[in-house]
Every structure is written in C-alpha cells, then in structure tokens.
C-alpha cells in the first residue's frame, strides 16, 4: 500500500535560516502530493500541493517539487520566521484507483521550532 | 466561504460510553473524510463518505462508524469507548468527484476517555 516517510524531527532553527524537511513516498500509479501544517490546538492547513511529476507547489515562501524519479517531495523555505513554528505533514492521495477516494496517507510529522 | 466546522471541540467520556462527533463541510463539498490523530500512531484514515454512502474505509474496528446526511454533513460515532480512543478526531471535506482532490480540514474534536 501507500506510505510516506518524513525526516526525523524535531527541527530547531534560528530565524532567517534555510529549511529543508525531507519527504519520500511509496505509491502505485501517480499520486498527488501535499504538505499540510498544524499549529498548536488547530486542525491541518494546506500549505502546498503538486499533482504530477516535476510540478512545483509553492505558498508563503515554501516550495516543494514532485520528483517521481526519486519518489520525493521535500519541503524548503529560504528564510524561516518564528511564526513558521508548527508541525509539518507530508501526505499523498490517490494512485490506487477506487481505494484512494477521500484517503490521505500521512507521514509522521516534523516539529519545527524557530528561535528569534 | 465558511470552512469546515466540527462540534463539539472538546469531549470527556468514560470507558464503555459512546460518543457522536459532527462535521459540516465547506459549502458545495460532497465528500467528508475522518481521521484519528494520536501521538503514537499519527494521522490515520477512518472512512470517507460521499453522497450519503461510505466509499472508503480504513483499518479500524466496527466500533467506529459514520454516516452522511443529504446536506453532506457527517457524523462519526464511537461505541464502547476505550482509553486508547483518546485522540484528536479530524474531518476534512473535498468536492469528491475525483480520487486525488485537495482536502480541507476542520479544527478537530479532542476526545478524552477516562
């Protein structure tokens, strides 16, 4: 079945540092890939997505490129802010026909803390 | 456009009781998915409903059930609660016409089982 593996956390950075959170996946077919962010006490917010190979998703300075050859969707940001402190989840959907309806498969999440 | 809403936001129950959680999707969305989030297991898919029919199901025991109404609102029920059911329960909505659409999440219902 489908699976998503994220880099081990937590990640601690200083403000304005460069961020990379690695995400690799296993899936049949051609899944869509997502990054969601969760702030304390809240639900998940969509950060960005990509639906086919070589697509680049971007939002709020975050970027991720769908790499089918390496089955990866790494999240990057050039200069993090304290307000980026949150838990980040990589997820995939689809790629398995009818069994994919409404189902996201998530990585384990990466806690990011940014210090001033 | 209003987002996904979930009620109640917090619940405390005791073992053996049952609980019903509610989710109202974004207007126009016909698919509602439910997830359980725990520190140990992370985010796990429970089931998905579209047009009042369960279309997909995760690997949870039969104590977990759901339904969807004609206005696309959905409820999730857990019977005979166990301590391990303590979790954040999230619902998400999407248009539902394709298998890989973006899902939009509600704030969740935090359930504590004592």
């Amino acid at each position: 079945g489908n699976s998503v593996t994220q880099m081990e956390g937590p990640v601690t950075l200083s403000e304005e540092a460069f961020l990379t959170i690695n995400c690799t996946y296993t899936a049949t077919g051609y899944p869509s890939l997502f990054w969601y962010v969760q702030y304390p006490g809240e639900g998940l917010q969509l950060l960005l997505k990509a639906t086919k190979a070589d697509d680049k998703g971007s939002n709020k300075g975050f970027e991720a490129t769908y790499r089918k050859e390496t089955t990866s969707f790494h999240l990057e940001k050039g200069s993090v802010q304290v307000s980026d402190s949150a838990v980040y989840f990589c997820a995939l959907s689809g790629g398995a026909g009818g069994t994919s309806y409404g189902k996201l498969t998530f990585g384990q999440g990466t806690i990011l803390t940014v210090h001033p | 456009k209003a987002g996904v809403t979930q009620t109640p936001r917090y619940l405390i129950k005791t073992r053996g009781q049952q609980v019903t959680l509610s989710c109202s999707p974004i207007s126009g969305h016909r698919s509602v998915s439910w997830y359980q989030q725990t520190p140990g297991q992370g985010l796990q898919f429970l089931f998905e409903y579209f047009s009042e029919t369960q279309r997909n199901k995760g690997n949870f025991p039969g104590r977990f059930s759901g339904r969807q109404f004609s206005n696309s609102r959905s409820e999730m029920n857990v019977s005979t609660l166990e301590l391990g059911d303590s979790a954040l329960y999230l619902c998400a909505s999407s248009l539902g016409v394709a298998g890989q659409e973006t899902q939009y999440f509600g704030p969740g219902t935090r359930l504590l089982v004592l």
Side-chain angles (χ1 to χ4, degrees), chain A residues 9 11 14 44 56 63 92 110 116:
Chain A
V11 175
S14 297
L44 300 176
K56 177 186 282 189
E63 293 183 339
L92 71 80
T110 300

Side-chain angles (χ1 to χ4, degrees), chain A residues 98-115:
Chain A
T99 60
S100 69
Y101 282 111
K103 179 179 180 179
L104 284 167
T105 300
F106 288 91
Q108 62 269 43
T110 300
I111 300 171
L112 171 65
T113 303
V114 181
H115 293 297

Side-chain angles (χ1 to χ4, degrees), chain A residues 12-31:
Chain A
T12 303
L13 296 173
S14 297
E15 207 165 26
E16 299 183 3
F18 184 84
L19 168 70
T20 299
I21 301 177
N22 290 339
C23 171
T24 58
Y25 69 89
T26 301
T28 57
Y30 301 92

